Amino acid sequence: MADRKIIAVVGATGQQGSGLVKAILADPSGGFAARAITRDPNSDKAKELARLGAEVVAGDVDDEASLTKAFAGAYGAYCVTFFWAHFSPEKEKAQAAAMARAAKAAGVKHVIWSTLEDSRKWIPLSDNRMPTLMGQYKVPHFDSKGDADAAFAGVPTTYLLTSFYWENFIYFGMGPKKGPDGVPGITLPLGDKKFPGIASDDIGACAYGIFKSGDAYIGKRVGIAGEHLTGAEMATAFSKALGQTVRYNEVAPEVYRSFGFPGAEDLGNMFQFNRDFADMFCAARSLEFSRKLNPGLKTFSAWLAENKGRIPLE
Ligand SMILES: NC(=O)c1ccc[n+]([C@@H]2O[C@H](COP(=O)([O-])OP(=O)(O)OC[C@H]3O[C@@H](n4cnc5c(N)ncnc54)[C@H](OP(=O)(O)O)[C@@H]3O)[C@@H](O)[C@H]2O)c1
C-alpha cells in the first residue's frame, strides 16, 4: 500500500464511485490503491468493498472535517455529489465546496470532480423555451454542478462531464412500460436527437484512466459517454435484446415535465436541454476519448446483453 498512490473515492458504495473502486482493484499492478469513503463502514456494501481489498473509511460530504480526514495522505480524490438524495442545488453546491476545501487542506494532488453543464450558459433564465425552476435554475441538478466548478479553483482538478446512466432504465423508473396495446415503450422527450449514455461502472473506469494519465487532464474539462443514441435507436436495441418489440414514445418536454413524479420538471428540462443542444453534448463526450481512457467501454447493446434480466417490464 505504502508504495501505491491512494485514490480516496466519495460515493464509493454508489454507482459512480463503486466503478472507480472496482477499476482500481482490478488492476493490482497499476500503482494505485482504493480508499472507499462511506457514511457507514459497517454497511453490507462497505464490507464488500473491504473484502475486495479497498481501505474503507468514514466520511460524510455534509461534514467537512470528516472529509479532510478521509482525504489525508491521498494522492487523488474522486468527488461526486448526491442530488437525488435531497433535491437541493444549494446543498449540492455546499457539499462540492466542502470537498474542494477538504482536498486543498489535505494536499490532494489530483481531484476529479464529477460535474455537468450549467444549462443557464445556453438557456438564460430569461429564455422561455423551458420554465425556470426553484426561482434560479433551468436544470437544477446540472446547474448546481456547473456552478460548483468554481469551488475547485486553486485545486488541481479534472472536471469530468458524465452522461445519462443506462442503469436509469433499471433503477430510476425509466424502463420500458407497456402501452394500452400491451407493447412496451420507452418514453423520452428527445425528438430524433442523439443522446449520450453510459454504463455507470464505465464512469469510474474512465476516471481511473484519467488518474492513470498523470497530470494530462488537470485543469481540463473532459466528457465521457459509452454511445450517442437516439430514442429510436435505444428502442431498437431494447427490442433486439429483449426479443420483443419495444417502441420509442416521443413526447414533448412539457408533457414529460407534467408526469408529476419527484424531479419530473428537472428531468423534462434536462432532456430538452440535451435535445436542443445535442451536437454540443455529443461533441463534449467523445466516444473515442472515452474508449482511450477505458478500453473496456461498453456500448448500449453490450450493456443490455449483460443487464436485460434486470430490466423491469411493467
Ligand atoms: N443517474 C444518472 O443518469 C446520472 C448521470 C450523471 C450524473 N448523475 C449524478 O450522479 C450523482 C450521484 O452519483 P451516484 O449515482 O454515483 O450516486 P448513488 O449511486 O446514488 O450513490 C450514492 C452513494 O453516495 C453515498 N452518499 C450519499 N450521501 C452521502 C453523504 N452525505 N456523504 C457521503 N456519502 C454519501 C452513499 O453511500 P453510503 O450510504 O455508503 O454513505 C451512496 O452509496 C447525482 O448528483 C446525479 O445528479 C447521475
mmCIF file of all heavy atoms in Angstrom, residues 4 7 31 41 61 108 111 113 130 149 164 191 197 199 207-209 211 216 218 228 274 283 292 301:
data_model
loop_
_atom_site.group_PDB
_atom_site.id
_atom_site.type_symbol
_atom_site.label_atom_id
_atom_site.label_comp_id
_atom_site.label_asym_id
_atom_site.label_seq_id
_atom_site.Cartn_x
_atom_site.Cartn_y
_atom_site.Cartn_z
ATOM 1 N N ARG A 4 1.944 2.653 -3.170
ATOM 2 C CA ARG A 4 0.903 2.926 -4.168
ATOM 3 C C ARG A 4 0.215 4.246 -3.863
ATOM 4 O O ARG A 4 0.111 4.666 -2.718
ATOM 5 C CB ARG A 4 -0.121 1.783 -4.174
ATOM 6 C CG ARG A 4 0.457 0.538 -4.844
ATOM 7 C CD ARG A 4 -0.563 -0.560 -4.977
ATOM 8 N NE ARG A 4 -0.857 -1.198 -3.706
ATOM 9 C CZ ARG A 4 -1.968 -1.888 -3.462
ATOM 10 N NH1 ARG A 4 -2.901 -1.993 -4.389
ATOM 11 N NH2 ARG A 4 -2.157 -2.458 -2.297
ATOM 12 N N ILE A 7 -6.233 6.610 -3.958
ATOM 13 C CA ILE A 7 -7.346 7.394 -4.512
ATOM 14 C C ILE A 7 -8.501 7.293 -3.517
ATOM 15 O O ILE A 7 -9.028 6.193 -3.272
ATOM 16 C CB ILE A 7 -7.821 6.849 -5.883
ATOM 17 C CG1 ILE A 7 -6.663 6.729 -6.878
ATOM 18 C CG2 ILE A 7 -8.959 7.725 -6.430
ATOM 19 C CD1 ILE A 7 -6.047 8.027 -7.338
ATOM 20 N N GLY A 31 -0.437 0.563 -9.635
ATOM 21 C CA GLY A 31 0.217 1.599 -8.837
ATOM 22 C C GLY A 31 -0.740 2.428 -7.993
ATOM 23 O O GLY A 31 -0.332 3.415 -7.364
ATOM 24 N N PRO A 41 -19.151 2.493 7.478
ATOM 25 C CA PRO A 41 -18.217 1.408 7.122
ATOM 26 C C PRO A 41 -18.748 0.020 7.459
ATOM 27 O O PRO A 41 -18.201 -0.978 7.010
ATOM 28 C CB PRO A 41 -16.974 1.734 7.957
ATOM 29 C CG PRO A 41 -17.095 3.185 8.295
ATOM 30 C CD PRO A 41 -18.560 3.468 8.414
ATOM 31 N N VAL A 61 -20.188 13.989 3.191
ATOM 32 C CA VAL A 61 -19.972 15.251 2.467
ATOM 33 C C VAL A 61 -20.634 16.448 3.173
ATOM 34 O O VAL A 61 -20.366 17.592 2.827
ATOM 35 C CB VAL A 61 -20.422 15.192 0.985
ATOM 36 C CG1 VAL A 61 -19.562 14.236 0.193
ATOM 37 C CG2 VAL A 61 -21.891 14.844 0.838
ATOM 38 N N VAL A 108 -4.315 17.117 -1.586
ATOM 39 C CA VAL A 108 -4.549 16.122 -2.643
ATOM 40 C C VAL A 108 -3.959 16.646 -3.954
ATOM 41 O O VAL A 108 -4.114 17.815 -4.311
ATOM 42 C CB VAL A 108 -6.078 15.854 -2.780
ATOM 43 C CG1 VAL A 108 -6.362 14.970 -3.987
ATOM 44 C CG2 VAL A 108 -6.614 15.208 -1.503
ATOM 45 N N VAL A 111 -7.715 15.957 -8.119
ATOM 46 C CA VAL A 111 -9.141 15.735 -7.844
ATOM 47 C C VAL A 111 -9.855 15.524 -9.173
ATOM 48 O O VAL A 111 -9.572 16.218 -10.159
ATOM 49 C CB VAL A 111 -9.752 16.981 -7.133
ATOM 50 C CG1 VAL A 111 -11.281 16.930 -7.141
ATOM 51 C CG2 VAL A 111 -9.227 17.084 -5.704
ATOM 52 N N TRP A 113 -13.616 15.987 -10.324
ATOM 53 C CA TRP A 113 -14.925 16.498 -9.888
ATOM 54 C C TRP A 113 -15.960 16.087 -10.932
ATOM 55 O O TRP A 113 -15.866 16.474 -12.098
ATOM 56 C CB TRP A 113 -14.846 18.021 -9.714
ATOM 57 C CG TRP A 113 -16.141 18.791 -9.725
ATOM 58 C CD1 TRP A 113 -16.400 19.891 -10.484
ATOM 59 C CD2 TRP A 113 -17.330 18.562 -8.949
ATOM 60 N NE1 TRP A 113 -17.678 20.356 -10.234
ATOM 61 C CE2 TRP A 113 -18.270 19.550 -9.303
ATOM 62 C CE3 TRP A 113 -17.704 17.601 -8.004
ATOM 63 C CZ2 TRP A 113 -19.545 19.617 -8.750
ATOM 64 C CZ3 TRP A 113 -18.978 17.666 -7.439
ATOM 65 C CH2 TRP A 113 -19.863 18.666 -7.807
ATOM 66 N N MET A 130 -38.071 26.943 -21.799
ATOM 67 C CA MET A 130 -38.382 25.996 -20.724
ATOM 68 C C MET A 130 -38.597 26.794 -19.438
ATOM 69 O O MET A 130 -38.052 27.898 -19.292
ATOM 70 C CB MET A 130 -37.286 24.941 -20.548
ATOM 71 C CG MET A 130 -35.943 25.481 -20.147
ATOM 72 S SD MET A 130 -34.713 24.190 -19.808
ATOM 73 C CE MET A 130 -34.410 23.476 -21.415
ATOM 74 N N ASP A 149 -18.311 24.223 -10.115
ATOM 75 C CA ASP A 149 -16.958 24.099 -10.698
ATOM 76 C C ASP A 149 -16.021 25.147 -10.100
ATOM 77 O O ASP A 149 -14.842 24.872 -9.846
ATOM 78 C CB ASP A 149 -16.991 24.313 -12.220
ATOM 79 C CG ASP A 149 -17.623 23.149 -12.974
ATOM 80 O OD1 ASP A 149 -17.960 22.128 -12.337
ATOM 81 O OD2 ASP A 149 -17.790 23.279 -14.198
ATOM 82 N N PHE A 164 -25.825 10.321 -18.996
ATOM 83 C CA PHE A 164 -27.003 9.580 -18.507
ATOM 84 C C PHE A 164 -26.650 8.106 -18.325
ATOM 85 O O PHE A 164 -26.121 7.487 -19.249
ATOM 86 C CB PHE A 164 -28.095 9.746 -19.571
ATOM 87 C CG PHE A 164 -29.353 8.977 -19.363
ATOM 88 C CD1 PHE A 164 -30.418 9.548 -18.664
ATOM 89 C CD2 PHE A 164 -29.527 7.705 -19.917
ATOM 90 C CE1 PHE A 164 -31.611 8.854 -18.508
ATOM 91 C CE2 PHE A 164 -30.719 7.007 -19.761
ATOM 92 C CZ PHE A 164 -31.755 7.593 -19.052
ATOM 93 N N GLY A 191 -36.966 13.897 -29.162
ATOM 94 C CA GLY A 191 -37.114 14.067 -30.602
ATOM 95 C C GLY A 191 -36.335 12.975 -31.319
ATOM 96 O O GLY A 191 -36.340 11.817 -30.895
ATOM 97 N N GLY A 197 -25.152 8.349 -23.523
ATOM 98 C CA GLY A 197 -25.434 7.494 -22.365
ATOM 99 C C GLY A 197 -24.211 6.663 -22.041
ATOM 100 O O GLY A 197 -23.265 6.578 -22.834
ATOM 101 N N ALA A 199 -22.756 3.105 -19.349
ATOM 102 C CA ALA A 199 -22.916 2.158 -18.239
ATOM 103 C C ALA A 199 -22.285 2.818 -17.017
ATOM 104 O O ALA A 199 -21.151 3.302 -17.098
ATOM 105 C CB ALA A 199 -22.202 0.850 -18.573
ATOM 106 N N ALA A 207 -12.686 7.323 -15.113
ATOM 107 C CA ALA A 207 -11.997 8.153 -14.099
ATOM 108 C C ALA A 207 -10.647 7.530 -13.752
ATOM 109 O O ALA A 207 -9.643 8.234 -13.587
ATOM 110 C CB ALA A 207 -12.874 8.287 -12.851
ATOM 111 N N TYR A 208 -10.627 6.207 -13.669
ATOM 112 C CA TYR A 208 -9.353 5.524 -13.396
ATOM 113 C C TYR A 208 -8.348 5.833 -14.519
ATOM 114 O O TYR A 208 -7.172 6.123 -14.267
ATOM 115 C CB TYR A 208 -9.589 4.020 -13.254
ATOM 116 C CG TYR A 208 -8.333 3.244 -12.926
ATOM 117 C CD1 TYR A 208 -7.488 3.655 -11.880
ATOM 118 C CD2 TYR A 208 -7.969 2.115 -13.651
ATOM 119 C CE1 TYR A 208 -6.323 2.960 -11.582
ATOM 120 C CE2 TYR A 208 -6.809 1.414 -13.365
ATOM 121 C CZ TYR A 208 -5.991 1.838 -12.337
ATOM 122 O OH TYR A 208 -4.828 1.159 -12.052
ATOM 123 N N GLY A 209 -8.843 5.831 -15.751
ATOM 124 C CA GLY A 209 -7.974 6.173 -16.891
ATOM 125 C C GLY A 209 -7.417 7.585 -16.757
ATOM 126 O O GLY A 209 -6.264 7.849 -17.125
ATOM 127 N N PHE A 211 -6.877 9.210 -13.853
ATOM 128 C CA PHE A 211 -5.827 9.189 -12.810
ATOM 129 C C PHE A 211 -4.541 8.549 -13.362
ATOM 130 O O PHE A 211 -3.438 9.018 -13.078
ATOM 131 C CB PHE A 211 -6.311 8.417 -11.569
ATOM 132 C CG PHE A 211 -7.229 9.217 -10.676
ATOM 133 C CD1 PHE A 211 -8.490 8.743 -10.326
ATOM 134 C CD2 PHE A 211 -6.829 10.445 -10.160
ATOM 135 C CE1 PHE A 211 -9.333 9.469 -9.496
ATOM 136 C CE2 PHE A 211 -7.668 11.191 -9.327
ATOM 137 C CZ PHE A 211 -8.917 10.694 -8.990
ATOM 138 N N ALA A 216 -2.062 14.877 -17.177
ATOM 139 C CA ALA A 216 -2.517 15.259 -18.527
ATOM 140 C C ALA A 216 -3.831 16.032 -18.537
ATOM 141 O O ALA A 216 -4.013 16.928 -19.360
ATOM 142 C CB ALA A 216 -2.636 14.010 -19.407
ATOM 143 N N ILE A 218 -5.346 17.562 -15.754
ATOM 144 C CA ILE A 218 -5.565 18.503 -14.654
ATOM 145 C C ILE A 218 -5.837 19.890 -15.237
ATOM 146 O O ILE A 218 -5.151 20.351 -16.153
ATOM 147 C CB ILE A 218 -4.357 18.510 -13.687
ATOM 148 C CG1 ILE A 218 -4.327 17.181 -12.919
ATOM 149 C CG2 ILE A 218 -4.437 19.688 -12.712
ATOM 150 C CD1 ILE A 218 -3.187 17.020 -11.950
ATOM 151 N N HIS A 228 -23.674 7.431 -28.307
ATOM 152 C CA HIS A 228 -24.642 8.511 -28.552
ATOM 153 C C HIS A 228 -25.785 7.903 -29.354
ATOM 154 O O HIS A 228 -25.576 7.515 -30.508
ATOM 155 C CB HIS A 228 -24.016 9.650 -29.378
ATOM 156 C CG HIS A 228 -22.769 10.235 -28.793
ATOM 157 N ND1 HIS A 228 -21.760 10.775 -29.570
ATOM 158 C CD2 HIS A 228 -22.357 10.378 -27.516
ATOM 159 C CE1 HIS A 228 -20.789 11.225 -28.792
ATOM 160 N NE2 HIS A 228 -21.126 10.996 -27.536
ATOM 161 N N ASN A 274 -30.697 18.599 -23.475
ATOM 162 C CA ASN A 274 -29.917 17.638 -24.275
ATOM 163 C C ASN A 274 -30.393 17.605 -25.723
ATOM 164 O O ASN A 274 -29.583 17.520 -26.641
ATOM 165 C CB ASN A 274 -30.038 16.233 -23.666
ATOM 166 C CG ASN A 274 -28.994 15.943 -22.605
ATOM 167 O OD1 ASN A 274 -27.954 15.368 -22.883
ATOM 168 N ND2 ASN A 274 -29.256 16.342 -21.378
ATOM 169 N N ALA A 283 -20.483 16.355 -28.774
ATOM 170 C CA ALA A 283 -19.096 16.779 -29.030
ATOM 171 C C ALA A 283 -18.290 16.828 -27.730
ATOM 172 O O ALA A 283 -17.093 16.542 -27.717
ATOM 173 C CB ALA A 283 -19.092 18.151 -29.710
ATOM 174 N N LYS A 292 -10.372 5.545 -25.133
ATOM 175 C CA LYS A 292 -8.920 5.662 -24.876
ATOM 176 C C LYS A 292 -8.666 5.569 -23.361
ATOM 177 O O LYS A 292 -7.741 4.900 -22.905
ATOM 178 C CB LYS A 292 -8.439 7.007 -25.433
ATOM 179 C CG LYS A 292 -6.948 7.226 -25.350
ATOM 180 C CD LYS A 292 -6.571 8.523 -26.056
ATOM 181 C CE LYS A 292 -5.593 9.307 -25.218
ATOM 182 N NZ LYS A 292 -5.410 10.676 -25.618
ATOM 183 N N SER A 301 -25.732 -1.931 -26.527
ATOM 184 C CA SER A 301 -26.084 -3.334 -26.774
ATOM 185 C C SER A 301 -25.313 -4.269 -25.845
ATOM 186 O O SER A 301 -25.870 -5.238 -25.327
ATOM 187 C CB SER A 301 -25.801 -3.718 -28.221
ATOM 188 O OG SER A 301 -26.617 -2.966 -29.053
#
